[in-house]
Amino acid sequence: MEKEMKKVPAVRFKGFTGDWEQRKFSEIAQRESNMQLSSSDLPSVEYEDVVAEEGILNKNINSKGTQKKGVIFDGNQILYGKLRPYLHNWLNPDFKGIAVGDWWVLKPIETDKNFLYRLIQTPKFDDVANQSSGSKMPRADWNLVANTTFMIPSSITEQKEIGTYFNNIDNLITLHQRKSDQLKKLKAYFLQNLFPAKGEKVPKIRFKGFTGEWEEHKLFDCISKITDFRGRTPKKLGMDWSKEGHIALSALNVKNGYIDFSQDVHYGDDFLYEKWMKGNELHKGQVLFTTEAPMGNVAQVPDDRQYILSQRTIAFTVNKNIILENFLATVLRSSQVQKRLDELQSGGTAKGVSQKSLSSVEIIIPKQIKEQTVISTFFSDIDRNITLHQQKITQLQAVKKFLLQNLFV
């Protein structure tokens, strides 16, 4: 006997009562099939013109070039990629185009457009759409989706409230992403101009109060110790990773300017930590550098927790008489050093750099430690603001995920 469906969501906006109603997907959304060749009036839109799941239209779409056949759509319809989970809900009601490729163009039937768009993002719809047809190139099965029953509010007002709420979350995510992107561009600009260009001894832009030429050093002249456990694994030590304990920092965790604790995190217990790190313990602020897959990411140990230095990542201990840790982290991310690292990398698919290659890297730094402090503090402030925006995005995405599970039946 088929299990009876729930009739109300776990979370509901205040003021709404009563059961939701069962409807087949084909009763709330019509699949459009009005085919036409793209023309000068109607541009073609393909997968590469849409950002997956975010629904952001690529600004570069146009109607020039070879005419392509597809389904006509407008701002009142929804695009769903039946081959890949791409979505777009058109915010511009006046926009018209030709959806080229494996799209479903969906028109709401007596259902709020924004509510339908969010329903398509729920785990239940995803589960049904992933029961694909085809072998060489699996794709969502329209007959299966069309005949699947979903619960929806009988009140259009409740549908609109749900749709609007998710639109507001997406707008906030977009706002924080835009600010983060602007800060990253600003950072890239200053990484190029607050450091001397190749063959020069002073930067194009300099903080007030500092004069005189910078001085050139071999990178390794500024380093008193390199901690490199390349190739070391728990198995080689006769041990294994744990479910909790000391976090292992690998090239997958070390990003440019921060540590990503959500990427492929492994843990070691006290015994593994002692055997692995004894005599080479990391400290807060120590500079980390990824040697491969990816090569050239630079971050600093974020706190005083006892971390394990893992795959494809090395740690630098600086010569404090020459350079500050914060400034080393900054200069390694400068465009001049990154270009040099690109020239040195070797390998096939996974490009990498050896210690021998790194020994040839030269950096140019201010003689005054005070100038190093001012520059590194400036970039630390930018990084902190980027991190704040990224954290807000992560929080909003978590809220969105929770509500997609609980604001729907």
Side-chain angles (χ1 to χ4, degrees), residues 48-51 56-62 88:
E48 56 267 27
D49 299 318
V50 178
V51 178
I56 300 174
L57 180 65
N58 186 323
K59 295 178 181 178
N60 296 322
I61 65 167
N62 56 62
H88 193 91

Side-chain angles (χ1 to χ4, degrees), residues 127-145:
D127 289 342
V128 175
N130 277 329
Q131 297 178 44
S132 56
S133 62
S135 53
K136 292 183 179 179
M137 192 66 74
R139 63 197 69 208
D141 186 333
W142 172 252
N143 288 329
L144 175 62
V145 172

Side-chain angles (χ1 to χ4, degrees), residues 125-386:
F125 185 91
D126 190 55
D127 289 342
V128 175
N130 277 329
Q131 297 178 44
S132 56
S133 62
S135 53
K136 292 183 179 179
M137 192 66 74
R139 63 197 69 208
D141 186 333
W142 172 252
N143 288 329
L144 175 62
V145 172
N147 288 293
T148 298
T149 300
F150 295 89
M151 300 294 289
I152 69 169
S154 55
S155 165
I156 288 290
T157 303
E158 186 172 7
Q159 291 182 23
K160 287 181 179 294
E161 183 129 359
I162 293 170
T164 299
Y165 189 82
F166 280 104
N167 284 351
N168 291 337
I169 292 178
D170 277 351
N171 288 339
L172 284 172
I173 291 173
T174 300
L175 176 64
H176 285 287
Q177 188 61 61
R178 186 179 297 124
K179 288 182 177 180
S180 176
D181 291 342
Q182 289 170 347
L183 285 168
K184 288 176 181 177
K185 288 180 180 178
L186 184 70
K187 178 181 174 181
Y189 171 80
F190 281 111
L191 281 172
Q192 186 169 3
N193 291 282
L194 274 174
F195 292 86
K198 187 175 181 180
E200 298 181 2
K201 294 291 182 72
V202 292
K204 292 179 181 177
I205 299 175
R206 202 166 191 181
F207 287 104
K208 189 176 180 180
F210 297 106
T211 58
E213 293 185 345
W214 288 21
E215 56 186 13
E216 196 168 62
H217 291 271
K218 289 282 189 181
L219 172 62
F220 282 8
D221 290 342
C222 303
I223 307 299
S224 62
K225 179 182 175 181
I226 299 174
T227 305
D228 187 350
F229 295 129
R230 200 172 310 210
R232 180 173 291 186
T233 66
K235 290 191 185 313
K236 289 182 179 179
L237 296 176
M239 307 178 79
D240 207 344
W241 295 120
S242 307
K243 291 184 178 179
E244 56 185 9
H246 302 274
I247 297 175
L249 300 178
S250 74
L252 292 176
N253 311 114
V254 177
K255 306 298 183 182
N256 259 327
Y258 69 100
I259 304 295
D260 186 348
F261 291 107
S262 67
Q263 290 289 320
D264 193 42
V265 176
H266 291 85
Y267 300 91
D269 59 22
D270 289 340
F271 297 105
L272 179 62
Y273 176 81
E274 285 295 321
K275 198 168 184 179
W276 191 305
M277 296 298 298
K278 190 173 182 179
N280 294 287
E281 293 83 1
L282 302 177
H283 61 263
K284 182 180 178 181
Q286 192 165 0
V287 178
L288 304 174
F289 178 86
T290 62
T291 58
E292 183 185 348
M295 187 278 294
N297 280 357
V298 182
Q300 290 175 267
V301 177
D303 48 52
D304 291 318
R305 284 184 286 178
Q306 295 176 316
Y307 293 98
I308 295 170
L309 187 65
S310 190
Q311 293 292 312
R312 306 184 306 280
T313 300
I314 60 178
F316 295 128
T317 303
V318 301
N319 183 337
K320 294 181 180 179
N321 294 322
I322 299 176
I323 195 168
L324 297 174
E325 287 180 326
N326 290 348
F327 190 78
L328 175 63
T330 302
V331 75
L332 287 175
R333 295 200 298 268
S334 68
S335 58
Q336 291 82 359
V337 172
Q338 287 292 315
K339 287 176 184 176
R340 178 60 180 147
L341 291 172
D342 286 340
E343 294 169 357
L344 293 172
Q345 67 181 345
S346 61
T349 304
K351 299 292 186 181
V353 63
S354 64
Q355 279 199 42
K356 183 178 179 180
S357 295
L358 283 175
S359 68
S360 69
V361 173
E362 295 179 340
I363 59 175
I364 186 163
I365 64 177
K367 296 177 183 178
Q368 296 184 56
I369 292 295
K370 186 177 180 181
E371 187 171 8
Q372 293 184 27
T373 301
V374 171
I375 293 172
S376 55
T377 299
F378 174 78
F379 283 104
S380 293
D381 289 342
I382 293 178
D383 282 338
R384 184 165 50 253
N385 281 305
I386 290 173

Side-chain angles (χ1 to χ4, degrees), residues 80-99:
Y80 177 78
K82 59 179 178 174
L83 187 61
R84 289 175 278 180
Y86 283 34
L87 287 169
H88 193 91
N89 189 23
W90 299 90
L91 301 179
N92 180 0
D94 298 322
F95 187 94
K96 289 186 178 181
I98 306 290

